[in-house]
Amino acid sequence: MKTKKTVIVTGASGLIAGYLLPYFKDRYELTLLDVKDTNREGNRIQGIHIVDLVDKDLDTYRDFFRGADAIVHFGWVHCDNPKNQFRNEMCNVQMAYNVYQTAMEENVRRVVMASSNHAADYYESLILDGKMDLVTPDTKPLSHGYYGWAKETYEHLGFVFALGRQNNRSLENVQIRIGGPRGTDLERCDRGDLRRVRRALAAYLSKRDMAQLFIKSIETKDIRDKNGVPFQIFYGISNNPHGFWSIANAREIIGYDPEDNSEIRFRQLINEHIQAAEKNKQR
Ligand SMILES: NC(=O)c1ccc[n+]([C@@H]2O[C@H](COP(=O)([O-])OP(=O)(O)OC[C@H]3O[C@@H](n4cnc5c(N)ncnc54)[C@H](O)[C@@H]3O)[C@@H](O)[C@H]2O)c1
């Protein structure tokens, strides 16, 4: 009898996969896919199968997908040149389609996608300006850039696959709008810039909370919405008192119970920022 779930991880040489693979490796039977087998530091990642998931010929990688319990999609084409960004994001939308379509054809049960808070980043400045209090996964997703637009687009594509009318089969789907997982956002704010500090405190996502969120998104049996569609969008943040993206649905549907809290983790840095802001005021 199979004891471990089989999980395919795309973009497995990348940053976010690097954070999560240590949590996944004993828990799942993993297949790692990427277009390269070195991480951002140039170190080789063991066990990567080289595939190009932007390639429209699904036959070049479908064997890896066959019968898996879940696919966790971190594959993402990074763009250095803003002039190419729209074309680049079209590649990311194409890659998302290829992953959904192959997963559907190869009887994968669920796809868990790395989306981003940028899917609805238009609202962020309204919140920081005090014109709005909270964004939920039900707030109409609007972005100020192509990156967020692409995330929203492949979230919506995920819904089409989850609904199953287009293909006569439903592909379960979770979209995780990752917040700020690096832990360096607060350090990088200019001392005393309390607007950026607030954003950094709101967005923080610790590695262990991110692992919990992804694991529960992979493993929770029933992820149907109120209309019976197996589709969810969850914000990926820790238990941040400054948070302005709602995680109430993640708490309710998959029992997400984040252990970390940006105010506690960064209390010393917060103090430095407040003192600097007070000094700046006196000048
Ligand atoms: N890093 C963050 O702070 C952050 C925040 C929010 C959301 N996200 C999202 O998480 C996902 C992963 O981000 P990351 O920071 O790990 O990016 P990354 O660039 O470090 O990793 C992406 C990986 O995808 C691989 N890839 C690129 N093209 C591919 C292709 N054609 N086929 C197969 N693999 C391919 C790359 O080689 C790379 O290893 C992205 O969707 C990103 O938007 C990241």
Side-chain angles (χ1 to χ4, degrees):
M1 201 181 79
K2 194 173 93 170
T3 51
K4 289 183 181 179
K5 285 191 186 308
T6 48
V7 174
I8 316 297
V9 177
T10 74
S13 307
L15 182 79
I16 301 289
Y19 291 159
L20 294 182
L21 288 177
Y23 294 90
F24 288 177
K25 73 177 177 8
D26 295 329
R27 198 175 182 97
Y28 303 126
E29 213 62 70
L30 291 173
T31 300
L32 308 182
L33 306 180
D34 203 298
V35 80
K36 62 182 177 56
D37 66 358
T38 50
N39 65 13
R40 289 186 183 193
E41 286 74 45
N43 301 321
R44 177 143 295 139
I45 309 297
Q46 294 293 320
I48 301 276
H49 300 277
I50 302 291
V51 292
D52 177 2
L53 294 169
V54 178
D55 188 341
K56 292 177 188 160
D57 182 358
L58 312 186
D59 291 341
T60 61
Y61 40 81
R62 72 166 67 252
D63 288 355
F64 293 113
F65 283 55
R66 194 156 298 136
D69 291 300
I71 295 184
V72 182
H73 181 57
F74 298 124
W76 176 61
V77 182
H78 176 73
C79 184
D80 289 324
N81 182 351
K83 279 193 185 152
N84 296 334
Q85 200 179 353
F86 181 75
R87 237 177 308 150
N88 205 76
E89 293 301 348
M90 290 295 279
C91 288
N92 283 321
V93 173
Q94 178 71 52
M95 176 153 51
Y97 167 80
N98 293 346
V99 166
Y100 294 136
Q101 181 67 24
T102 314
M104 203 251 329
E105 289 178 15
E106 295 304 329
N107 290 317
V108 176
R109 187 174 53 83
R110 182 173 299 176
V111 178
V112 178
M113 300 290 275
S115 183
S116 166
N117 64 84
H118 285 282
D121 60 12
Y122 162 68
Y123 301 106
E124 196 176 304
S125 54
L126 299 181
I127 287 172
L128 296 174
D129 289 339
K131 294 178 180 164
M132 196 175 169
D133 295 320
L134 188 72
V135 174
T136 79
D138 290 332
T139 308
K140 181 178 180 179
L142 291 174
S143 176
H144 57 63
Y146 298 138
Y147 173 73
W149 165 82
K151 296 298 186 203
E152 190 280 328
T153 300
Y154 71 65
E155 284 182 358
H156 191 161
L157 200 53
F159 178 81
V160 171
F161 276 88
L163 192 59
R165 284 191 206 156
Q166 179 78 37
N167 300 297
N168 295 322
R169 167 168 127 63
S170 167
L171 175 67
E172 297 179 0
N173 215 283
V174 180
Q175 306 285 333
I176 299 194
R177 290 185 181 167
I178 299 171
R182 292 163 200 246
T184 52
D185 293 6
L186 207 68
E187 180 62 52
R188 284 168 42 221
C189 298
D190 288 338
R191 289 297 178 273
D193 183 346
L194 296 186
R195 184 182 166 95
R196 281 194 61 206
V197 165
R198 183 177 174 206
R199 199 274 174 192
L201 290 173
Y204 175 64
L205 174 63
S206 72
K207 292 184 182 59
R208 66 176 170 174
D209 286 341
M210 180 156 56
Q212 185 197 142
L213 186 55
F214 273 86
I215 286 169
K216 286 181 170 168
S217 295
I218 293 167
E219 295 180 9
T220 301
K221 281 209 169 72
D222 187 354
I223 57 156
R224 283 173 299 174
D225 70 9
K226 64 180 187 320
N227 297 313
V229 184
F231 177 83
Q232 294 294 335
I233 296 171
F234 299 133
Y235 271 100
I237 57 171
S238 285
N239 187 24
N240 304 330
H242 274 74
F244 46 67
W245 298 314
S246 173
I247 52 172
N249 70 327
R251 291 184 193 277
E252 186 190 326
I253 292 158
I254 59 168
Y256 178 50
D257 185 16
E259 296 177 79
D260 294 305
N261 170 325
S262 56
E263 281 185 12
I264 292 173
R265 158 110 200 247
F266 298 110
R267 55 187 176 277
Q268 215 143 342
L269 266 173
I270 295 170
N271 223 1
E272 279 177 34
H273 278 294
I274 292 172
Q275 283 175 10
E278 281 170 356
K279 259 195 206 148
N280 292 346
K281 243 197 264 167
Q282 287 161 13
R283 276 193 194 137

